[in-house]
Amino acid sequence: MTVLKVIVASSRPISWVNTAFPFAAAYLFAGGGLTWQLVVGTVFFLITFNMIVYGVNDVYDYESDIHNPRKGGVEGAVLAPRYHRPVLVAAAAANAPFIVALLLGGTAASAGWLALAVASAVAYSVPGLRFKERPVLDSATSSAHFTTPALVGWTMTGTPATPGFWLAILAFFLWGMASHALGAVQDVQADRAGGLSSIATELGARTTTRAAAVAYAVSALVLLGLPPSAWVLSLAAAGYALNAGRFWNVTDATCEVTRRAWGVFLWLNYVVGFVVTMLLLFA
């Protein structure tokens, strides 16, 4: 039971909705209906996919995580070495059947996006690739973890993507990059102590925070290109820009103060998720 709890904790349950919701929303909005593909895909992106995104990451980030005061709770586990192998084995074993099912039940396009989703999740953390230590690419790869599920969901239905869908994906991708960058700011000192590179250790806390705020703002502006009702979503998205902008003048020495922004970010996700759900229901 202890090993099982560790495995679940390392998948970061508080963030499960961030990957499952995009898949389910895109699938349904594209006309997919209540099918086994919806159920399997939602469970996959809700739980097992996050075992790769976060669990594998926690294995290979152990040296930096032990220096990070925010790890060891809902924002990520500090995995003792004895749990590394069980987490890796569980991630592989749990994901394999879901991936096979989604490949068989999807289209050529959804197979390609699914392959990219899994590849980006693996490449982000594993030694030899470690995209998370390649500044800017780290934020882009992290954003792919959230946008690719939506691309898988839409393309599984075989429905041609609309211009509005691509605008939404662009806005979501910018949101994802900004969110990763903002999250990296609070870890500048811990990452440097652990010998890790990131967009924030490379650009510095202040530049990275400002870039995140601007990216959030651009994301909100892009959403204005969607149907009129999307102005509500654009307004909600602007809240992320304001949240990051509060720390416009943060420094490397005071980087940990942005933990307050990250705490607000976690709650904003649920508020904005509710807004998106309402828009989809009454679209």
Side-chain angles (χ1 to χ4, degrees), residues 79-175:
L79 289 181
R82 67 180 179 277
Y83 295 122
H84 291 183
R85 181 176 175 80
V87 166
L88 294 177
V89 171
N95 277 277
F98 283 96
I99 292 172
V100 171
L102 292 174
L103 288 174
L104 294 176
T107 64
S110 68
W113 288 118
L114 178 62
L116 180 60
V118 175
S120 68
V122 173
Y124 185 75
S125 300
V126 299
L129 294 173
R130 292 289 288 177
F131 284 7
K132 73 164 294 172
E133 292 198 65
R134 303 176 190 274
V136 182
L137 180 59
D138 57 348
S139 293
T141 307
S142 176
S143 186
H145 299 160
F146 308 112
T147 52
T148 51
L151 289 161
V152 173
W154 188 287
T155 55
M156 281 195 78
T157 67
T159 303
T162 63
F165 173 72
W166 287 116
L167 277 179
I169 289 295
L170 174 59
F172 196 25
F173 187 77
L174 290 171
W175 172 89

Side-chain angles (χ1 to χ4, degrees), residues 32-270:
L34 299 177
T35 64
W36 71 262
Q37 287 95 332
L38 172 66
V39 175
V40 172
T42 300
V43 173
F44 169 70
F45 283 113
L46 183 71
I47 304 174
T48 62
F49 181 65
N50 284 301
M51 292 169 68
I52 304 176
V53 174
Y54 298 114
V56 174
N57 179 71
D58 284 346
V59 168
Y60 294 112
D61 276 7
Y62 175 71
E63 292 300 327
S64 66
D65 285 349
I66 58 178
H67 298 288
N68 194 330
R70 75 183 180 93
K71 293 300 177 73
V74 295
E75 295 182 52
V78 178
L79 289 181
R82 67 180 179 277
Y83 295 122
H84 291 183
R85 181 176 175 80
V87 166
L88 294 177
V89 171
N95 277 277
F98 283 96
I99 292 172
V100 171
L102 292 174
L103 288 174
L104 294 176
T107 64
S110 68
W113 288 118
L114 178 62
L116 180 60
V118 175
S120 68
V122 173
Y124 185 75
S125 300
V126 299
L129 294 173
R130 292 289 288 177
F131 284 7
K132 73 164 294 172
E133 292 198 65
R134 303 176 190 274
V136 182
L137 180 59
D138 57 348
S139 293
T141 307
S142 176
S143 186
H145 299 160
F146 308 112
T147 52
T148 51
L151 289 161
V152 173
W154 188 287
T155 55
M156 281 195 78
T157 67
T159 303
T162 63
F165 173 72
W166 287 116
L167 277 179
I169 289 295
L170 174 59
F172 196 25
F173 187 77
L174 290 171
W175 172 89
M177 287 194 69
S179 299
H180 175 274
L182 181 62
V185 170
Q186 61 189 318
D187 292 337
V188 165
Q189 294 189 37
D191 283 347
R192 286 175 177 164
L196 297 181
S197 298
S198 73
I199 187 173
T201 62
E202 181 72 16
L203 301 181
R206 180 173 297 175
T207 298
T208 305
T209 300
R210 291 179 177 182
V214 170
Y216 278 136
V218 174
S219 175
L221 290 174
V222 169
L223 289 171
L224 291 176
L226 296 178
S229 59
W231 71 267
V232 179
L233 181 57
S234 179
L235 184 62
Y240 289 101
L242 294 173
N243 180 45
R246 294 184 298 143
F247 302 94
W248 192 260
N249 292 316
V250 68
T251 66
D252 288 0
T254 62
C255 68
E256 291 183 5
V257 72
T258 59
R259 288 192 66 184
R260 300 206 304 271
W262 192 249
V264 172
F265 164 83
L266 294 175
W267 285 108
L268 270 175
N269 287 344
Y270 288 95

